[in-house]
Amino acid sequence: MASKHYRSLRLKIVFVTLFFSLIPLFALGVTIYYLFATAYNSKNSEGLRTLAETRRSAVELFFDERISQLITIANTHSLDTLQDEANLKRVFDIMQARSKSFIDLGVIDEEGKHLAYVGPHYDELKVVNYAHEEWFQAVRSSGVYVSDIFLGFRKVPHFIIAVTRLEKNRTWILRATINSEIIESIVREGIVGKRGDGYIVNRNNVLQTTPRFSGKLLGRPDGPDLSSIIGLQLELVRTERENNLFAAAPIRNPKWVLVLREDLFEQMGPLFQAQYAGGLILAAGILLVITGTVLTSRSMIKELIRMEVDKAKSDDLVMQSSKMAALGKMAAGIAHEINNPLAIIGEKAGWMKDLLDKEDIQASENFKEFEDCIKKIERQVERSRTITHRLLRFGRRMEPTQDMVDINTILAETLTFLEGEAHYRDIKIVSNYDKRLPRITTDSAQLQQVFLNIVDNAIDAVGKSGIIEIETGYDQARNSDIFIRIKDNGPGISKELIGKIFDPFFSTKVQNEGTGLGLSISYSIIEKLGGKITVQSEEGKGTTFVIFVPVR
Amino acid sequence: MQEFRVLIVDDEEDFVETIVKRLKDRGLDVTGATSGRAALELMDGKEFDVAVLDVKMPGMDGIETLREMKKKSPRMEVIMLTGHGSVESGIQGLQLGAYNYVMKPVPLNDLLKQMTQAYERKLIEQDRHRGGA
């Protein structure tokens, strides 16, 4: 019952301790993880935003340069000059010498008719009329036009830039086809990591460059539709397999959108490492806390049990000694009350004896009988006197003291209390005292209690018909302790139990007959007096207790 | 046997009566009293050499009686007779000037020996006192 109580107490201690120590640990871990993740994410998105901005600038610069190149040509040459295909070719050659991205160059009049053309598709394009083309309408109204990407005859992606020139009431258009490879390479430079991507879409969400993973040129990109954004925008898209961060930057002219995609799992390697390390530290911390808690609670409970046992022991000791003190008082009281009548009987008998000694009575025929009776009365008075004096001494000794005592005397007196019981059970107590024992200073009452406990146990162990041998001794040469050996021929104690016999509450007696504290108390008394008790036992042969008391 | 004057004080009448008879039989001048007060009254009329005084008596107990006796007659030797096991009352008696204490019941011969020794001491004390005076 006690152990159950302690187990639940221990569980309570463990749970409360764990609760209060793990909660802050978790809170700390979560907070640090969250703060770190936030910081890392914001740094990450900042990086992607900056990258998107620089790529956008590069793309815009590219277009601005191409447009201004064409505007410069258109404004520095008259229609008459450029109408001449030889002149146009010369200009085109100069342009191509600087950049291979120009594919062809053409001059178109207000009606959409090709006036001059330099380029690889002369025959096909020279005869085309652009009057109804959408771009032609657009360039006429806005002055500058950049087309979306399209695949030309050679399946090479390219786009056109057209600029309008107003010359002496005549409007003409300079148009160039440009390979989009450079845009591709500009975008590609913005691709991050092994799984990142980058591409450009037009306002209809049609791919203008070839992305690495996310689709095909002129198709739809796999990612979200970012074609209608107004300013630079970051968007996080989570799927089961990946966490993608998109940065979209609108390009001024043409009205395209540059999209960079970054795989967060890839980019967050360091974060995951930190997460892993943090988790490891957390787990180790939890393990430590649990171990500490379990160990602490165990030692606490042990200490509690030890304290309780000690308390029970000392309580019992107090109870026993107060019982003994009461007993002593009673014994002394009885002895005193009996001593007075005993004294009178003794005196009366003595007076009778005195009278018998007188000569005249000696002649009486029953003189012998009288004399015999008086002698017997005197002997019985003497016997009773021994008993009452012993009771008085016993009563006195129950008060705790330090006095010079003779172990043999104490032992002999203790045995007188048990002789009756032993005799009744047909147990012979054989004592062999060493007469040379020195007198020692100790608490005789406590010593008496120990002898009483152990001899009483021996009588109980033997049960009926047996021998208890009691021997005292002292090795003067070695100035060693006085020993008192109490040996019975009872059933003995098994090996499993012999280690437990001094444990409190251990008892082989039937319940309610013994407290199980006798030997435990004896042990602590002897320990307190500076001695020790040893026990040896063989099953079937008997048990031997040896008490050692130091000579001081 | 030297003849000297003895006062026996005990509340047990039978005890006093018998012991007085026995001691008288042995040639001592013995008087008995069954209470401390009676003993003190007797002392007014007569001088005693040795008193045997029971410690535990109803009314005036042995210790108190002893104190009064020592006031009246400091030279008289007193043997405390105790039926009680307590050493303290015996020791207290000794501190108050008793010669010795013996435990009841005591064989008459032992008591007689104690009384004789007490009387001898009284004689020695008296001699020394006179010598000094």
Side-chain angles (χ1 to χ4, degrees), chain A residues 335-337 339-340 342-344 346-348 350-351 354-355 358 378 381-382 385 388-389 392 396 399, chain B residues 10 12 14-15 17-19 21-22 25-26 54 56 83-88 103-108:
Chain A
H336 174 65
E337 291 310 320
N339 272 346
N340 277 325
L342 214 52
I344 295 167
E347 287 312 314
K348 290 289 179 195
W351 179 230
D354 291 352
L355 292 178
K358 309 222 185 266
E378 283 198 315
V381 167
E382 182 57 31
R385 194 179 83 102
T388 55
H389 282 195
L392 284 169
R396 261 209 308 282
E399 295 147 25
Chain B
D10 195 308
E12 296 278 352
D14 283 343
F15 180 76
E17 181 206 314
T18 316
I19 208 161
K21 268 192 235 169
R22 292 189 75 192
D25 198 45
R26 279 163 177 74
D54 189 16
K56 204 180 170 198
H84 196 270
S86 95
V87 187
E88 285 92 83
M103 216 141 98
K104 255 190 190 172
V106 57
L108 187 73

Side-chain angles (χ1 to χ4, degrees), chain A residues 6 93 100 141 190 255 258 266 291 299 323 373 409 491 545:
Chain A
Y6 281 124
D93 284 346
K100 291 284 182 203
S141 58
K255 301 247 177 263
L258 172 77
E266 191 184 0
T291 313
S299 65
K323 241 184 348 198
C373 282
T409 312
F545 281 90

